[in-house]
Amino acid sequence: MTRHRLHPAWLVAGVSFVALVGAAGFRATPGVLLHPLHAEFGWPLATISAAVSVNLMLYGLTAPFAAALMDRFGIRRVVAGALVLVALGSALTVGMTASWQLILCWGVLVGLGTGSMALAFVATVTGRWFVKRRGLVTGVLTAGGAAGQLVFLPLVAVLVRDHGWRLAALVVAGAALAVVPLVVWLLREHPADLGLPAYGATEVAPQTPPAGGAAARAVGALAAAARTRPFWLLAGGFAICGATTNGLVGTHFVPAAHDHGMPETTAAGLLALVGLFDIVGTVASGWLTDRVDSRLLLGAYYALRGASLLVLPSLFAGSAQPSMLVFIVFYGLDWVATVPPTVALCREWFGASGAVVFGWVFAAHQVGAALAATGAGLVRDRLGDYAPAWYVAGALSIGAAGLSLLLRRRGDEPAFTLPVVAAGRRAWSYRG
């Protein structure tokens, strides 16, 4: 009689999901805390948004290098350290007295912590532990951030309303810190540590020590990719994607709704619904990416997003009207639906280098998000209204659709291979 046991890969995936949800707690707080911090300290919204911008930029720029740290020091140590940084950055805000301290805590500490647990973490876990179901697990873990937003956003809004923003910051810190023992106890490094093959594999893959200079190889991949037109089309479109999601809607939707008389708890609940439908949209987009030209998918996603943002200023009201609920459902489905086709196009153009190049494309996503977070705050401070920011974002999204459609199909040959060290010197192989 054959006994079927759950493969440890699923336990690793489960712990990884919980860690991602724990780290995502902070990502729910900026939009809810903008007005309370402005009211208590008198800091301009642009100054507070600058801290969010630093966070978003570091979140992206850390990702290409986080994999190198995981190779050298192990997933467990890097993830545990990242969660501690998130907890420390959130907890220290309760004693701040100057805006530079907000930028240090929110921006630098939490940015480095969450950036170390972004796509590099997901890619490392799925790459080591899964052969079958790799795409499914990647999609589920990627949606962990949305689930974290869904879990924390309404809770943070209620805590801020009833007990003040400091308690909310401490709860977020405690949530991140509470996951650390689970990571240290259950997050394994390799299937080979247990004498098992990866899920779906037939043979145990021996652990190979990482080749030196992983960070240098990441920089070399950027240098080679930057010489190609597809890289800039993908990075430009994804920068606009970040500007119109994390940077603008994720940071400023709640205060913008509050400007129109909507309670912050109601607005936070609507933004949490975006996270719920985001999970559905991500899975559906992955399914479509296997069946439809990724260029057409990106063009449609960006164009529809642009049209919805152009309509959004007319939907704000003192309560959640049906038209706003339609926007929330639509925008949630589209939130990170751009990720699967973008990953597919990076793989198509850059072959085995696709994952590393996507790390840099994702960095462009976060740079766009950082610029939008600060820019929208400046617009609100100067004009007293967010409407111009929504209109500019809508136009940019339609532009991103055009960038996506400019990508032509590539044959079977990838654009270039990863930088390699040969005969004592670094060499890049590019075939344009």
Side-chain angles (χ1 to χ4, degrees):
M1 181 177 178
T2 302
R3 296 180 62 186
H4 296 281
R5 297 177 56 190
L6 183 69
H7 194 285
W10 295 109
L11 178 61
V12 171
V15 174
S16 301
F17 183 86
V18 172
L20 288 164
V21 171
F26 174 82
R27 314 216 69 79
T29 61
V32 177
L33 297 187
L34 282 179
H35 276 304
L37 291 176
H38 174 70
E40 178 169 337
F41 296 103
W43 300 331
L45 290 181
T47 300
I48 303 171
S49 300
V52 182
S53 296
V54 172
N55 172 277
L56 293 171
M57 193 169 293
L58 285 177
Y59 179 72
L61 294 176
T62 302
F65 300 95
L69 291 174
M70 291 179 187
D71 282 340
R72 182 170 182 181
F73 299 107
I75 300 175
R76 188 182 311 176
R77 291 181 180 179
V78 173
V79 172
L83 288 165
V84 170
L85 278 179
V86 172
L88 187 65
S90 187
L92 286 177
T93 58
V94 302
M96 65 184 176
T97 56
S99 59
W100 69 263
Q101 296 166 347
L102 176 68
I103 294 173
L104 175 64
C105 294
W106 270 22
V108 177
L109 294 180
V110 179
L112 290 173
T114 53
S116 297
M117 294 178 58
L119 295 177
F121 175 43
V122 173
T124 302
V125 168
T126 55
R128 289 184 184 183
W129 283 91
F130 290 88
V131 174
K132 291 177 61 178
R133 313 296 186 195
R134 184 178 291 171
L136 173 64
V137 176
T138 299
V140 172
L141 293 181
T142 301
Q149 183 183 27
L150 176 65
V151 169
F152 282 100
L153 190 54
L155 172 63
V156 169
V158 170
L159 287 174
V160 170
R161 182 194 64 190
D162 296 343
H163 303 286
W165 66 267
R166 287 180 173 81
L167 179 61
L170 290 175
V171 168
V172 169
L177 206 57
V179 183
V180 173
L182 188 66
V183 168
V184 173
W185 179 35
L186 295 176
L187 192 58
R188 301 282 186 172
E189 296 292 338
H190 294 274
D193 292 342
L194 304 176
L196 294 172
Y199 181 79
T202 57
E203 298 180 356
V204 177
Q207 294 184 41
T208 55
R217 293 199 301 112
V219 174
L222 172 63
R227 300 175 191 148
T228 70
R229 181 170 176 266
F231 173 79
W232 292 108
L233 291 174
L234 288 166
F238 223 44
I240 293 171
C241 179
T244 53
T245 52
N246 306 71
L248 182 58
V249 175
T251 304
H252 293 283
F253 178 84
V254 172
H258 184 68
D259 284 348
H260 290 78
M262 183 180 292
E264 290 186 338
T265 50
T266 302
L270 291 175
L271 199 54
L273 283 178
V274 169
L276 175 63
F277 287 101
D278 168 41
I279 297 172
V280 178
T282 305
V283 175
S285 180
W287 183 85
L288 286 171
T289 300
D290 291 332
R291 294 162 173 82
V292 180
D293 188 337
S294 295
R295 298 155 192 76
L296 298 179
L297 287 178
L298 281 181
Y301 294 157
Y302 285 133
L304 291 171
R305 179 183 299 179
S308 67
L309 287 171
L310 292 174
V311 173
L312 178 60
S314 66
L315 304 182
F316 284 114
S319 59
Q321 301 296 318
S323 56
M324 177 61 80
L325 294 175
V326 172
F327 169 84
I328 290 297
V329 172
F330 178 84
Y331 207 82
L333 292 172
D334 190 59
W335 182 268
V336 292
T338 55
V339 172
T342 303
V343 171
L345 288 169
C346 286
R347 188 183 304 115
E348 176 183 334
W349 270 93
F350 304 107
S353 311
V356 178
V357 175
F358 177 71
W360 290 110
V361 171
F362 176 71
H365 181 282
Q366 295 307 113
V367 170
L371 293 174
T374 299
L378 286 170
V379 168
R380 173 61 176 78
D381 284 338
R382 299 288 177 85
L383 304 178
D385 189 2
Y386 278 108
W390 304 121
Y391 293 136
V392 170
L396 286 174
S397 292
I398 294 172
L403 293 177
S404 303
L405 295 175
L406 285 174
L407 276 164
R408 66 182 189 274
R409 279 190 175 276
R410 181 154 186 101
D412 295 333
E413 186 181 28
F416 73 97
T417 58
L418 268 171
V420 295
V421 177
R425 67 183 186 280
R426 186 169 303 283
W428 288 270
S429 175
Y430 169 68
R431 298 185 292 277

